[in-house]
Amino acid sequence: MTMDAHPSKTLAEFAATLEPKAIPETVLRRAEELFVDWFGSALAGKGARPVEAIESLAREMGPEAGEAEVLISRRGTSPYFAAMVNAAASHYAEQDDVHNGSVFHPAAVVFPPALALAQSLGRSGEEFLTAVAAGYEVGIRVGEFLGRSHYKIFHTTGTAGTLAAAAAAGRLLRLTPTQMLDAFGSAGTQAAGLWEFLRDAADSKQLHTAHAASAGLAAALLAAKGFTGAKHVLEGPQGMGAGMSRDADPSRLTDRLGSRWALAETSFKYHASCRHTHPAADALLHVMRQHGLEAEDIARVRAYVHQAAIDVLGPVVEPQTVHQAKFSMGTVLGLIAVFGRAGLQEFETAFRDPRVVAFRGKVDMVLDPEVDSAYPQRWIGKVVIETVDGRTLSGRVDEPKGDPGNTLSRTEIEEKFRRLTEYGKAATGEEVDRLLPRLWAIAQAPRVARFWE
Amino acid sequence: MTMDAHPSKTLAEFAATLEPKAIPETVLRRAEELFVDWFGSALAGKGARPVEAIESLAREMGPEAGEAEVLISRRGTSPYFAAMVNAAASHYAEQDDVHNGSVFHPAAVVFPPALALAQSLGRSGEEFLTAVAAGYEVGIRVGEFLGRSHYKIFHTTGTAGTLAAAAAAGRLLRLTPTQMLDAFGSAGTQAAGLWEFLRDAADSKQLHTAHAASAGLAAALLAAKGFTGAKHVLEGPQGMGAGMSRDADPSRLTDRLGSRWALAETSFKYHASCRHTHPAADALLHVMRQHGLEAEDIARVRAYVHQAAIDVLGPVVEPQTVHQAKFSMGTVLGLIAVFGRAGLQEFETAFRDPRVVAFRGKVDMVLDPEVDSAYPQRWIGKVVIETVDGRTLSGRVDEPKGDPGNTLSRTEIEEKFRRLTEYGKAATGEEVDRLLPRLWAIAQAPRVARFWE
């Protein structure tokens, strides 16, 4: 591999000059699906305390009108505040998408600034999706560049997310490559987000996406006005890699730009639980369907997992809250066994259902060398079940539901969308009926208009 | 020293409960002086390209009216955008104050959110100055906590400044100690600012103060709405110290809280040049006045300096721009010798004046062990002059002009104010005549009102 002497510039140039015709058809169709999936997550944030606090801040500090739409409240304001609130809202239910290799949630930081600017500038749906692709390709590569040491302290969705937002916004503003590099400089020098809040279960997660989306958008708007930024904000000796990582790898910034589409590697979240539970949940579902089993037919489940799953899920023995239940392997498999799914509603209403609690006691986790060595590139699910009638049945899923090789169908995305909007009480079934066809047709829209008018 | 198990909390409690009567009279008077000094710097940013770009962003993204004042444009808007623009403006002329030990510029990040909230909430001048003191005490200690390794990569005024802004804003919002700790959490997780931009002489410096002021203000506003934050965002294992420093010292966070007033340690900037030139400039001025010398009486000047001065100033031999001239020891001493001062106007109009250029060639820097070992706690100035008529005269200044032991008189602060407003063309002499008495009387104001109505 030849070293790129100025990877920030190469990446900025790519984002600024990306054209729809350069993007494969399958990638554009996947972008549509990620858009619909994101929109549902944004609506699911309605009514959530931290999200409504940010919306209240936006009402007090921002303008009362504008072409950019706050999806949960259906009001218009400036792109800055629409991006801020929509980003906070879409990261709340933890059902927004994820890119495995970069451990980065692109949708929550890319769609909010892109939608806000597309609406206020009246850009076409095609230009909107192109900007979204620029945001995904940039953000994922910045996340991969920052690496594992970064993720130990920093919430990559907050930090890399600021660059992702700037790239998407910059493309909609039609920045030149030089201006896009300025936007990257102004975004990178505002990039922030620390994991420390997790210890106190504080509200920062929504603030991180809100901040990334609004600061990245501001960086792009400033670049359009001639405001300059550092030219090596990612790889420079006083840049993000130097200050916020110990294993930053600049070669990742430009990895197969234009031929590898990181957007299409992004996973939909299917279950509403910690992602470390998903492979086993899918494997269990597979065995139960294959053999026509009910929850009460099962005597014991062994889930064969990677070490990180044991580290994260092991401490949760008897979950006391919905949030903890999402980190309990026994509860997740219990919901799957009893209801056939582990969605937002099941967690809210049934994590203490006696049938689920009983099933929880039948579940063990076992470290599996094959599963562990494949992680994190591949998340393999393996379970072995003992039935009440004495059979031993095993199941295996090589890619959890939602990963690119086992993706959600458009019907499944719509079903998820309906569950998310019911959860947030953000739209009626009739409104969703009218909304979904418009969302699916985004690529054909001559102008991205407001959805709630 | 006993270790404080929760220094973030102790600091938050101090900021939330600080009362005017707990602050010594001399400290409050110094706060007034720092306020007048800051106001002049804010006006000096008028017309500067990066500042006007941020003001243009604020006009497009923020509300058209409000009680918080943008000082350069005299318009009202929401506190968020007034804080953002005033912070950008006041860091432009590089004449805003500095705290030596923390290498932190408090005024540019503390006064903007404090003034914006005091105006919009109608707080008294006394409460405003109390909040300002909270901001200085918090921000300086956070800067000291983050230490030298942090400053190598991060612009402390951007990072520690976010906490300083949150503290000042939180005090004006009358947050409880618990809410103030939440505000610190939300501020710390947004703290950002990288030195990488310096390499390209990019515009990020103004963005750093703008971001710190607005993000810190937002953190405090969110805390008032019940939005929670990390409780150990400074000293925790995934907090700012862990992620952004290698020599973070938590004991600095609570250093003599309530007895040591870091606000009163803050220095006014007198000359408009790099601060490493100030000690020698003062020593030269001292000798010239003592002996009644003119520039043409001097054959040679040796400036005895600390190593950092040689590192920073050494490379500038023949300055090509105003900005470079501020880093040329010969030019600074030449302006002092010819005009008796090295202010904004002198740099703008005369850094290439033949008399200044001629003087520049007579100046050398020499590393001095005493000066070097006293640095950075003390910035000693020493010069030895050879006169045309064969005399050797030496001068020494133990604290440069503007440091607490050699502070500016109120008359000198007013003179500096007038020079700054002339530079920015932000106010006429008559307007300044009306403005200054109101600024000096801030402590007596029953409500902090707008200044330009």
Side-chain angles (χ1 to χ4, degrees):
Chain A
M1 184 188 297
T2 53
M3 279 299 292
D4 186 326
H6 199 161
S8 286
K9 186 179 171 207
T10 305
L11 193 60
E13 227 164 65
F14 171 81
T17 60
L18 184 62
E19 289 293 336
K21 61 180 179 299
I23 307 172
E25 190 63 22
T26 51
V27 175
L28 284 171
R29 296 295 79 76
R30 180 57 55 85
E32 291 169 356
E33 291 161 3
L34 293 167
F35 172 57
V36 177
D37 187 66
W38 166 77
F39 206 104
S41 275
L43 292 176
K46 185 175 169 70
R49 184 186 48 75
V51 176
E52 296 295 344
I54 291 175
E55 160 67 342
S56 166
L57 176 81
R59 276 181 197 270
E60 289 170 16
M61 296 296 121
E64 282 169 21
E67 279 312 301
E69 205 166 26
V70 177
L71 296 178
I72 55 170
S73 60
R74 309 187 180 190
R75 71 189 182 91
T77 183
S78 69
Y80 186 85
F81 287 102
M84 182 189 287
V85 180
N86 290 337
S90 50
H91 206 43
Y92 180 74
E94 307 248 1
Q95 287 281 278
D96 52 315
D97 64 22
V98 59
H99 182 270
N100 288 338
S102 55
V103 205
F104 167 60
H105 298 280
V109 290
V110 168
F111 283 107
L115 181 63
L117 277 182
Q119 287 179 326
S120 68
L121 298 169
R123 300 299 196 217
S124 72
E126 187 182 54
E127 189 162 354
F128 167 70
L129 290 179
T130 304
V132 164
Y136 272 70
E137 299 305 315
V138 167
I140 289 168
R141 283 176 178 80
V142 172
E144 291 175 337
F145 156 73
L146 290 168
R148 289 176 171 243
S149 68
H150 177 76
Y151 189 75
K152 278 183 196 295
I153 307 265
F154 293 94
H155 183 195
T156 304
T157 300
T159 53
T162 315
L163 278 289
R171 180 63 187 76
L172 280 159
L173 289 163
R174 300 174 186 167
L175 297 185
T176 66
T178 304
Q179 290 172 326
M180 184 67 89
L181 187 58
D182 284 329
F184 281 16
S186 292
T189 209
Q190 295 181 85
L194 296 159
W195 280 124
E196 183 62 30
F197 76 94
L198 270 189
R199 224 167 294 277
D200 310 305
D203 296 332
S204 310
K205 210 168 190 190
Q206 284 75 56
L207 182 59
H208 291 171
T209 48
H211 176 261
S214 55
L217 173 67
L221 288 165
L222 285 170
K225 297 175 190 297
F227 193 94
T228 62
K231 296 190 187 305
H232 298 261
V233 81
L234 293 159
E235 73 279 12
Q238 290 168 305
M240 286 177 75
M244 302 161 89
S245 173
R246 287 188 310 278
D247 62 344
D249 178 358
S251 73
R252 304 303 300 268
L253 289 169
T254 54
D255 178 35
R256 290 166 287 158
L257 271 179
S259 61
R260 167 198 174 203
W261 294 92
L263 180 147
E265 299 163 0
T266 305
S267 304
F268 298 96
K269 274 183 100 175
Y270 187 61
H271 310 298
S273 55
C274 170
R275 186 140 177 95
H276 291 299
T277 66
H278 292 206
D282 291 335
L284 175 64
L285 203 57
H286 179 69
V287 185
M288 290 181 71
R289 283 179 180 163
Q290 198 179 9
H291 298 276
L293 300 176
E294 302 289 333
E296 50 275 18
D297 300 329
I298 295 174
R300 188 166 182 198
V301 180
R302 279 212 191 82
Y304 291 84
V305 298
H306 51 261
Q307 182 62 46
I310 293 172
D311 294 345
V312 174
L313 309 173
V316 185
V317 179
E318 208 171 311
Q320 302 299 314
T321 63
V322 168
H323 187 257
Q324 276 191 317
K326 294 178 176 179
F327 289 79
S328 156
M329 181 66 94
T331 303
V332 173
L333 297 192
L335 292 171
I336 292 282
V338 174
F339 302 102
R341 72 160 57 113
L344 292 168
Q345 300 288 2
E346 288 73 29
F347 276 105
E348 290 289 335
T349 60
F351 84 93
R352 280 173 159 155
D353 182 301
R355 294 168 295 172
V356 174
V357 172
F359 199 93
R360 201 176 71 203
K362 302 176 183 174
V363 173
D364 286 306
M365 283 189 289
V366 182
L367 179 66
D368 185 86
E370 184 206 1
V371 173
D372 194 53
S373 67
Y375 176 85
Q377 275 64 41
R378 294 169 56 216
W379 297 49
I380 301 171
K382 280 161 89 168
V383 294
V384 174
I385 292 171
E386 292 172 22
T387 61
V388 171
D389 60 13
R391 287 175 289 164
T392 299
L393 306 168
S394 64
R396 176 187 178 105
V397 171
D398 276 285
E399 288 194 75
K401 183 74 179 166
D403 267 18
N406 185 12
T407 193
L408 270 55
S409 68
R410 293 203 164 195
T411 304
E412 286 172 322
I413 291 169
E414 290 201 355
E415 285 166 6
K416 180 181 169 190
F417 188 98
R418 287 179 191 277
R419 289 194 300 272
L420 286 166
T421 48
E422 282 163 26
Y423 174 77
K425 299 185 181 59
T428 66
E430 283 178 11
E431 285 172 332
V432 171
D433 290 341
R434 285 196 300 273
L435 197 55
L436 279 169
R438 285 190 60 199
L439 297 177
W440 286 122
I442 189 76
Q444 287 79 50
R447 294 168 61 94
V448 176
R450 291 176 63 169
F451 289 96
W452 288 128
E453 283 178 327
Chain B
M1 183 187 297
T2 53
M3 279 299 292
D4 186 326
H6 199 162
S8 286
K9 185 180 171 207
T10 304
L11 193 60
E13 225 164 66
F14 170 81
T17 60
L18 185 61
E19 290 293 336
K21 61 179 179 300
I23 307 172
E25 191 62 23
T26 51
V27 175
L28 285 171
R29 296 294 81 73
R30 180 57 54 87
E32 291 168 357
E33 290 161 3
L34 294 167
F35 172 56
V36 177
D37 187 66
W38 166 76
F39 206 104
S41 274
L43 292 176
K46 186 176 169 71
R49 184 185 49 74
V51 176
E52 297 294 344
I54 290 174
E55 161 67 341
S56 165
L57 177 80
R59 276 182 197 271
E60 290 169 15
M61 296 296 122
E64 280 169 22
E67 278 313 300
E69 205 165 26
V70 177
L71 297 178
I72 54 171
S73 60
R74 306 188 182 191
R75 71 190 182 93
T77 183
S78 70
Y80 186 85
F81 287 100
M84 182 189 286
V85 180
N86 290 337
S90 49
H91 206 43
Y92 181 74
E94 307 248 0
Q95 287 281 278
D96 52 316
D97 63 22
V98 60
H99 182 270
N100 288 339
S102 55
V103 205
F104 167 60
H105 299 279
V109 290
V110 168
F111 283 108
L115 181 63
L117 276 183
Q119 288 179 328
S120 68
L121 298 170
R123 300 296 195 221
S124 72
E126 188 183 51
E127 190 163 353
F128 167 70
L129 291 179
T130 304
V132 164
Y136 272 70
E137 299 305 316
V138 167
I140 289 168
R141 283 176 179 79
V142 172
E144 291 174 339
F145 155 74
L146 290 169
R148 289 176 171 245
S149 68
H150 178 76
Y151 189 74
K152 278 184 196 294
I153 307 264
F154 292 94
H155 183 195
T156 305
T157 300
T159 55
T162 315
L163 278 289
R171 180 63 188 76
L172 280 160
L173 289 163
R174 300 174 186 166
L175 297 185
T176 66
T178 304
Q179 290 173 326
M180 185 67 89
L181 187 57
D182 284 329
F184 282 15
S186 292
T189 209
Q190 296 181 85
L194 296 160
W195 280 125
E196 183 62 30
F197 75 94
L198 270 189
R199 224 167 294 277
D200 309 306
D203 297 332
S204 309
K205 210 167 191 189
Q206 284 75 58
L207 181 59
H208 291 171
T209 50
H211 176 260
S214 55
L217 173 68
L221 289 165
L222 284 170
K225 297 175 191 295
F227 193 94
T228 63
K231 295 189 188 307
H232 298 262
V233 81
L234 293 160
E235 73 279 13
Q238 291 168 304
M240 285 177 75
M244 303 161 88
S245 173
R246 286 188 311 278
D247 62 343
D249 178 359
S251 73
R252 304 303 302 268
L253 288 170
T254 55
D255 179 34
R256 289 166 288 159
L257 271 180
S259 61
R260 168 200 173 201
W261 294 93
L263 179 147
E265 298 163 1
T266 306
S267 303
F268 298 95
K269 275 184 99 174
Y270 188 61
H271 310 297
S273 55
C274 171
R275 189 144 175 91
H276 291 299
T277 66
H278 293 207
D282 290 336
L284 174 65
L285 203 56
H286 179 69
V287 185
M288 289 182 69
R289 283 179 179 163
Q290 196 178 13
H291 297 277
L293 300 177
E294 302 288 336
E296 49 275 18
D297 300 330
I298 294 172
R300 188 167 182 198
V301 180
R302 281 211 190 82
Y304 291 83
V305 297
H306 50 262
Q307 182 62 46
I310 293 171
D311 294 346
V312 174
L313 310 172
V316 185
V317 179
E318 208 172 310
Q320 301 299 315
T321 65
V322 168
H323 188 258
Q324 276 191 317
K326 294 178 176 180
F327 289 79
S328 156
M329 180 66 94
T331 304
V332 173
L333 298 191
L335 292 170
I336 292 282
V338 174
F339 302 102
R341 73 161 55 116
L344 292 169
Q345 300 288 2
E346 287 73 30
F347 276 105
E348 290 289 334
T349 60
F351 85 93
R352 279 173 160 155
D353 181 302
R355 293 167 294 170
V356 174
V357 172
F359 199 93
R360 200 176 71 202
K362 301 176 184 174
V363 173
D364 287 307
M365 283 189 289
V366 182
L367 179 66
D368 184 85
E370 185 207 1
V371 173
D372 193 53
S373 66
Y375 176 87
Q377 275 65 40
R378 294 169 57 217
W379 296 48
I380 301 171
K382 281 162 91 170
V383 294
V384 173
I385 293 171
E386 291 172 22
T387 60
V388 172
D389 60 12
R391 287 175 290 164
T392 300
L393 306 167
S394 65
R396 177 187 178 106
V397 170
D398 276 284
E399 290 195 73
K401 183 75 179 168
D403 267 18
N406 186 14
T407 193
L408 269 55
S409 68
R410 292 203 165 197
T411 304
E412 287 172 322
I413 291 169
E414 290 202 355
E415 286 166 6
K416 180 180 168 188
F417 188 98
R418 287 178 191 279
R419 288 195 301 271
L420 285 166
T421 48
E422 281 163 27
Y423 174 76
K425 297 184 182 61
T428 66
E430 283 179 10
E431 287 172 330
V432 171
D433 291 341
R434 286 196 299 274
L435 198 55
L436 278 170
R438 285 188 61 198
L439 296 177
W440 286 121
I442 189 76
Q444 288 79 51
R447 293 167 62 95
V448 176
R450 289 177 63 168
F451 290 96
W452 286 129
E453 282 179 327

